[in-house]
Amino acid sequence: MHNHYFDWAATSPVDTDILSEAFELTKESWANPSSTHEEGKKARSLLEQARKISADALGVKPENIIFTSGGTESDQIPLLSLLTKPNSSQEKKTVLISSIEHPAVREQALAMKHCGWNVVQIPSDKNGIITPENVVKLLTPQTMMVCVMAVNNETGAIQPIYEIADAITKWADGKRKPKFHTDCVQAIGKIPVNLNHPGIDSAALSSHKICGPRGIGILYVKDKIEPFLKGGGQENGIRSGTENVMGAVAFAKCLERYVISERNKKAEEKYQEQKLITKEFIKNIAELKGASVIPHGRADSQNENLYSPYVVQASFCHIPGNVMLRALDAKGFYISTGSACSSKKNSRPVLEAMNVSSEERETSVRFSFGPHTTQKDVSELFEAVKEVNNLFNKTN
């Protein structure tokens, strides 16, 4: 049913068996999990079971798992927690964010700037990579947090988050270390991720990117943080509000099914298979007249491990991105021109940060894949792209 859907980075179709199971379980345990009566305890037990399943899948402790409403909230809670700390210094406190961050981080950081914080962007190289060296150059004693996403949602560039975490720790050298937050929304279930790596303080995850329902996410926190938004004190006091038990159960089961690890051979095999499928797709795109993969260096097979096999950005000369999208849409193939969260804006800040030319930015589109994408699906996509590209190149 979804074999011509190639916008998985925006959202994924749900696994109906998981959704149905979660619905049946929570239909029986329907009470508020904070209630102390027997029905409330049943709901609490189900929620905590989901927390343990999630923690086991991610290789962390259950107390590290905080259920939220999604990736955006999971990105914002750590940033907003900084506002709970009084600023006794005459110098502005600083947040460093990568220049390729998702709007969930970028826009929240700008809001903090209006509150008197200093917000500094870490430059990207031409390949869409944030290097540890560029992070360290910008660290100062006033730096309170560093935010670098694990996988970019537009280019698929895998960021060296472990090396960055180590570089921040080394720079601190026993003194107060800036917190390091990473947006893992496009990483979990798409590449192997180790949240237990020293120096990673928090991470954001979202259910609807890996075949779960919308409206449920996870904030991984290594240590408890003080929330800026207060309420009933649910989720260890970090995220108040009545818990979405059904969403938590479904997300936990999706993590169990799709997180790539040595214990999950099926997910590992799909990851390796997708690498080969995407490698061939990139090779074919690069051979089309007027087409290029962004960043250009990705077409070099030596660089393929620098990118997630689930996201590909490409530009087609003479074909504006919106035109390519509509032409493929008419053929029954569904792609995007970039982040769904920025689709109403004409700017492409991630590509601008990489110094991609204005012409390529205007003619670029994003193809994104998922765990149910097959070789046949991608081959059919390429033939459709080839038809559109050839048609426009004949008329130009």
Side-chain angles (χ1 to χ4, degrees), residues 21-328:
E21 184 181 358
F23 173 73
E24 290 300 323
L25 287 169
T26 49
K27 188 171 67 172
E28 297 301 319
S29 301
W30 46 266
N32 189 319
S34 294
S35 297
T36 56
H37 49 62
E38 192 60 32
E39 290 298 333
K41 290 177 182 177
K42 285 168 60 178
R44 169 59 57 184
S45 176
L46 193 57
L47 179 66
E48 295 310 318
Q49 183 183 3
R51 197 184 312 278
K52 186 178 186 308
I53 291 172
S54 300
D56 288 345
L58 295 167
V60 300
K61 298 176 182 178
E63 54 264 36
N64 298 136
I65 300 294
I66 305 298
F67 288 114
T68 70
S69 66
T72 293
E73 188 179 25
S74 296
D75 276 327
Q76 292 178 346
I77 289 174
L79 276 165
L80 288 173
S81 72
L82 298 177
L83 300 180
T84 65
K85 297 175 171 58
N87 190 354
S88 57
S89 171
Q90 294 298 314
E91 296 185 74
K92 286 185 178 181
K93 299 296 185 183
T94 299
V95 175
L96 300 185
I97 68 167
S98 82
S99 56
I100 58 169
E101 287 301 300
H102 186 275
V105 170
R106 184 174 65 247
E107 296 300 321
Q108 185 59 60
L110 289 177
M112 292 183 68
K113 188 173 183 178
H114 295 314
C115 294
W117 281 68
N118 189 30
V119 177
V120 177
Q121 288 201 357
I122 310 162
S124 158
D125 67 14
K126 64 180 181 180
N127 292 316
I129 305 293
I130 303 296
T131 66
E133 293 76 17
N134 277 347
V135 174
V136 171
K137 284 178 186 176
L138 297 173
L139 291 172
T140 70
Q142 284 69 48
T143 305
M144 301 298 289
M145 181 172 285
V146 178
C147 299
V148 179
M149 67 196 327
V151 173
N152 184 260
N153 55 303
E154 294 198 31
T155 66
I158 299 173
Q159 305 306 314
I161 57 173
Y162 311 119
E163 291 83 354
I164 290 171
D166 292 343
I168 295 171
T169 301
K170 184 178 179 181
W171 174 87
D173 192 25
K175 301 186 289 290
R176 181 194 61 79
K177 182 183 81 70
K179 297 291 185 181
F180 180 48
H181 174 77
T182 181
D183 180 328
C184 288
V185 167
Q186 297 292 347
I188 295 296
K190 306 295 179 63
I191 66 169
V193 175
N194 176 19
L195 294 179
N196 273 319
H197 186 88
I200 295 178
D201 296 291
S202 57
L205 291 70
S206 183
S207 164
H208 76 102
K209 305 296 187 181
I210 56 168
C211 302
R214 297 173 180 85
I216 183 73
I218 283 175
L219 169 63
Y220 161 81
V221 285
K222 184 170 70 174
D223 300 305
K224 186 174 180 180
I225 59 178
E226 185 67 26
F228 178 74
L229 299 178
K230 308 288 185 176
Q234 291 90 340
E235 293 301 295
N236 200 22
I238 293 175
R239 198 276 181 178
S240 292
T242 303
E243 299 93 337
N244 177 358
V245 180
M246 180 179 167
V249 171
F251 194 6
K253 292 184 179 297
C254 287
L255 289 170
E256 194 173 42
R257 180 173 290 180
Y258 293 116
V259 166
I260 300 167
S261 69
E262 292 181 355
R263 295 177 299 169
N264 193 347
K265 296 299 182 185
K266 192 171 182 179
E268 172 65 31
E269 287 170 4
K270 172 56 185 172
Y271 174 55
Q272 298 301 333
E273 178 191 16
Q274 189 63 47
K275 282 185 175 182
L276 297 176
I277 292 171
T278 301
K279 182 177 182 179
E280 181 181 354
F281 179 69
I282 287 173
K283 178 178 177 293
N284 290 337
I285 289 292
E287 291 175 353
L288 291 177
K289 182 180 179 182
S292 59
V293 176
I294 297 176
H296 298 161
R298 185 172 185 178
D300 186 337
S301 59
Q302 291 183 332
N303 294 329
E304 64 182 89
N305 289 329
L306 297 177
Y307 301 90
S308 164
Y310 289 94
V311 178
V312 175
Q313 183 90 203
S315 169
F316 298 88
C317 188
H318 307 307
I319 311 177
N322 284 326
V323 173
M324 174 63 84
L325 185 153
R326 291 196 297 271
L328 290 177

